[in-house]
Amino acid sequence: MDKAIKKYFPLFALPTLAAFTIGFIIPFIMGIYLSFCKFTTITDAKIIGFSNYTKIFGDETFVHALWYTVLFTIVSVLLINFFAFVIAMLLTKGIRGTNVFRTIFFMPNLIGGIVLGYIWQLIFNGILAHWDITLMYHEKYGFWGLVILMCWQQVGYMMIIYIAGIQNIPGDLIEAAKIDGATSWQVLTKVTLPMVMPSITVCTFLTLTNGFKLYDQNMALTAGEPAKMSQLLALNIYDTFYGRNGWEGVGQAKAVVFFIIVAVIAVTQNYLTRSKEVQQ
């Protein structure tokens, strides 16, 4: 069997490798090349050096979108993980209807981001209408609208990961801690949290990357905002590339910077996750 696998491995790997090369590697390399060019289409691209990159940080909309995304990501990461962990703790206490509650909390994650954005836009605007304002009135309304939407969508998904980590804690370990006189708080901080640290690492970086990559919910929830002060990075890049004539190269340069940020987060996540596994 091993000889057969080694013999026919190139035959089966070739289609996947070809598709990956055509669908990812080539566009990725072309994207980096175009970030150094001025162009409207690929055929008329002309290299202009680092001009596109120098324009990025002179673009106030990008600078605003960058810190706005960082702030949104920090707040959403903290809230999503806090609520997910609390709910996971409650649902591992053996209460009646646990499976039903898990399903209910997880279901929002199955709904598409565009649909969620428009649904929550109607909800928020309906509530804010009592004060004669909308989500577009000020960037803070769009900010907290996005935070609430992301919490509602992602808490259930992260909850499942935390539940898996909590259920993996040996019951004898917790019983031994209680016999030794540990309080509930001490059991939580000295036993539970250290044992679920791999789950915490995974959930933290999942929510971190989701915060930076958020696009569809942002577009649907705050679509049509004239000042565009509720734009996150992904939406700002899209708007630059397709909405500003002559800025295609700048939009591509923004995309490269965006890729570097997400790649650093992904590599850090992989390193920390592997180090936790080695420690265990």
Side-chain angles (χ1 to χ4, degrees), residues 73-88 106 109 150 154-166 193 196-213 265 268-270 272-273 276:
T73 301
I74 292 172
V75 173
S76 62
V77 165
L78 293 175
L79 291 179
I80 290 171
N81 283 279
F82 172 77
F83 288 119
F85 182 78
V86 170
I87 294 171
F106 183 78
N109 189 71
M150 290 302 291
Q154 293 189 11
V155 162
Y157 184 84
M158 303 306 158
M159 172 202 71
I160 298 297
I161 299 176
Y162 280 124
I163 287 176
I166 293 169
L193 286 177
V196 299
M197 193 55 67
S199 297
I200 293 174
T201 302
V202 171
C203 289
T204 298
F205 281 96
L206 279 176
T207 49
L208 195 61
T209 52
N210 287 338
F212 269 99
K213 295 188 299 181
I265 294 172
T268 305
Q269 174 192 4
N270 184 62
L272 292 178
T273 303
K276 294 295 181 183

Side-chain angles (χ1 to χ4, degrees), residues 232-257:
L232 299 178
L233 270 178
L235 183 57
N236 179 262
I237 293 170
Y238 176 87
D239 184 68
T240 301
F241 197 93
Y242 292 102
R244 301 173 71 174
N245 189 29
W247 279 62
E248 292 83 1
V250 180
Q252 192 62 50
K254 288 182 179 181
V256 173
V257 173

